[in-house]
Amino acid sequence: MNPNANKNEFISKILEDVQDDLKDEEVIHLLLEKKVAYNPKKVKYTFGQKAADKLANYAGSWGFVSIFCAILIIWMCVNALLLTKPFDPFPFILLNLVLSCVAAIQAPLIMMSQNRQEQKDRMRAENDYKVNLKTEIIIEDLHNKIDQLIENQEKILKHIEVKK
């Protein structure tokens, strides 16, 4: 991918409303006024997206692992030791079915959350690129202005020396 093509494309997007007869300084002021930064808090998520994110956060925590292990141990102890007529005897077929169902539901939700996170990361990276590009353009303009000031200062010094 050609970075100059991306740079030119971004500059053209920023300057889409600018007429050809504007001075460079006016263009820079338009760049400064136009916000580039992306605010992830302003993005609206659907109920499903929020639920997938919350489930993935909870399912990846030690609290979930601890509670899940406790439930498994209680299930096995109740069925193997405490009940005279267990509802799920030793091979724990019902428990295996429940675990399979939990895994079948949990895996796609976690993958959806990972996809959402990847999307957020992609948006952040694109935003960082745009901010860096805008900063580069502004710094380049400042550099040109400083060069112009130095050039003008040298002219003034030469003019002063000529008058002496």
Side-chain angles (χ1 to χ4, degrees):
M1 192 147 73
N2 185 356
N4 286 333
N6 286 339
K7 182 178 180 181
N8 292 337
E9 180 183 49
F10 177 68
I11 291 171
S12 66
K13 282 182 185 178
I14 290 177
L15 303 176
E16 62 192 4
D17 296 330
V18 178
Q19 281 93 25
D20 294 332
D21 58 345
L22 289 176
K23 294 180 182 175
D24 287 342
E25 191 157 327
E26 290 173 327
V27 172
I28 297 301
H29 285 292
L30 283 173
L31 281 172
L32 287 171
E33 290 170 4
K34 190 167 183 175
K35 289 265 186 200
V36 174
Y38 149 77
N39 187 355
K41 293 179 182 175
K42 290 186 178 180
V43 177
K44 300 290 182 196
Y45 299 117
T46 65
F47 174 76
Q49 291 170 329
K50 289 178 189 176
D53 287 342
K54 287 182 182 178
L55 178 73
N57 285 338
Y58 179 69
S61 69
W62 281 107
F64 174 78
V65 172
S66 301
I67 291 171
F68 204 70
C69 287
I71 290 172
L72 292 177
I73 291 170
I74 291 169
W75 183 295
M76 288 183 234
C77 289
V78 165
N79 281 291
L81 305 173
L82 300 176
L83 295 177
T84 54
K85 191 173 181 184
F87 60 90
D88 188 20
F90 169 64
F92 305 119
I93 295 171
L94 183 59
L95 178 61
N96 284 323
L97 177 65
V98 169
L99 292 175
S100 296
C101 290
V102 168
I105 292 170
Q106 192 177 27
L109 291 174
I110 290 172
M111 289 182 73
M112 282 189 277
S113 179
Q114 287 175 340
N115 289 339
R116 299 254 337 103
Q117 188 61 43
E118 183 181 328
Q119 207 174 32
K120 290 177 190 176
D121 291 343
R122 202 175 307 117
M123 289 171 71
R124 261 189 232 108
E126 183 179 333
N127 182 60
D128 289 347
Y129 174 74
K130 288 177 181 178
V131 169
N132 290 341
L133 184 60
K134 182 177 177 180
T135 303
E136 179 183 341
I137 292 168
I138 293 169
I139 289 172
E140 189 174 317
D141 180 62
L142 288 173
H143 181 69
N144 291 337
K145 286 179 181 179
I146 290 173
D147 286 346
Q148 185 65 39
L149 284 172
I150 291 171
E151 191 176 304
N152 289 341
Q153 194 174 27
E154 288 173 354
K155 287 179 184 177
I156 292 170
L157 286 173
K158 284 181 184 178
H159 184 70
I160 291 173
E161 287 178 5
V162 168
K163 284 192 171 186
K164 284 184 179 180

